[in-house]
Amino acid sequence: MRDAVTNLIQNYDSSGRYLDRNALDTLKSYYDTGLARVQAAGVVNANAASIVKQAGLRLFEEIPELIRPGGNAYTTRRYAACLRDMDYYLRYATYALVAGSMDVLDERVLQGLRETYNSLGVPIGPTVSGIQIMKEIVKEEMASAGIEDTTFLDQPFDHMTRELSEQDL
Ligand code: CYC
């Protein structure tokens, strides 16, 4: 599991290079957004339960078949599993935000996830919608907390949806 800084150092060390202009620019943009990243993690932490709950409500409002008989989130056990998964995505998104690297998502969340979902019949499309809804809610929370620079916020949510959606070649 790596972060923006260790990723960069590993790349440069493997070819024995000093940190050049590109490296310094990458580092600078990471450190420039550092405080906002930490603040974002703080806002999510303070509102996590409510973000997951709201996102679940929006998701089931958009795709009500999920919680009807035959839907994958039907029965309280599966409903709870779905909200738990959303909570995983949100929590790991904050780790990736603070790290400035998607490595933690690849390693701890996404590895083998699509196969697991396929074998359990958990639909990928609605899962992707759930992740995107959480992204929107998190951005709303940031705006109301007065955090202006939120360009980096999309990254972990979009990374998870992209990796989940990707088809095997
Ligand atoms: C199940 N979700 C699962 C399972 C795993 C994960 C491993 C199978 C085992 C279990 O039931 O606990 C996901 N586990 C994870 C992830 C991590 C992990 C991501 C990394 C931290 O350790 N169903 C829907 C919705 C969606 C959903 C669209 C919510 C967005 O219709 C989720 N996931 C869902 C459901 C199950 C599940 C309903 C239970 C499926 C079943 O047992 O039939």
Side-chain angles (χ1 to χ4, degrees), residues 59-60 66 72-73 77-79 81-86 88-89 91-92 108-109 113 116-117 120 122-123 126-127 130:
L59 176 66
F60 297 132
L66 290 172
N72 188 263
R77 181 186 70 79
R78 285 200 295 263
Y79 190 104
C82 184
L83 294 185
R84 179 212 54 195
D85 283 10
M86 303 259 277
Y88 284 153
Y89 299 133
R91 179 163 59 87
Y92 280 95
R108 302 283 165 90
V109 180
L113 182 61
T116 304
Y117 271 11
L120 288 168
V122 176
T127 302

Side-chain angles (χ1 to χ4, degrees), residues 4 9 26 33 36 70 81 87-88 93 104 113 119 130 138 142 149 155 167 169:
I9 291 173
T26 305
T33 55
D87 189 61
Y88 284 153
V104 62
L113 182 61
S119 72
V138 168
M142 295 302 150
D149 179 8
Q155 222 190 346
Q167 299 298 315
L169 297 175

Side-chain angles (χ1 to χ4, degrees), residues 2 23 43 47-48 53-54 61 78 122 124 128 135 137:
R2 276 175 280 142
V43 169
N47 299 287
K53 189 176 168 198
Q54 280 183 63
E61 201 172 82
R78 285 200 295 263
V122 176
I124 304 285
V128 163
K135 177 177 89 175
I137 297 175

Side-chain angles (χ1 to χ4, degrees), residues 100-165:
S101 162
M102 301 301 115
D103 217 56
V104 62
L105 300 177
D106 295 337
E107 202 176 290
R108 302 283 165 90
V109 180
L110 296 164
Q111 217 177 72
L113 182 61
R114 204 149 22 100
E115 292 75 9
T116 304
Y117 271 11
N118 286 339
S119 72
L120 288 168
V122 176
I124 304 285
T127 302
V128 163
S129 302
I131 294 172
Q132 290 297 319
I133 291 169
M134 285 200 291
K135 177 177 89 175
E136 295 311 321
I137 297 175
V138 168
K139 288 168 108 171
E140 290 161 22
E141 299 277 352
M142 295 302 150
S144 50
I147 301 168
E148 280 164 16
D149 179 8
T150 56
T151 42
F152 54 83
L153 265 184
D154 290 4
Q155 222 190 346
F157 297 98
D158 291 349
H159 182 80
M160 288 188 283
T161 59
R162 199 177 322 111
E163 294 294 314
L164 261 178
S165 314

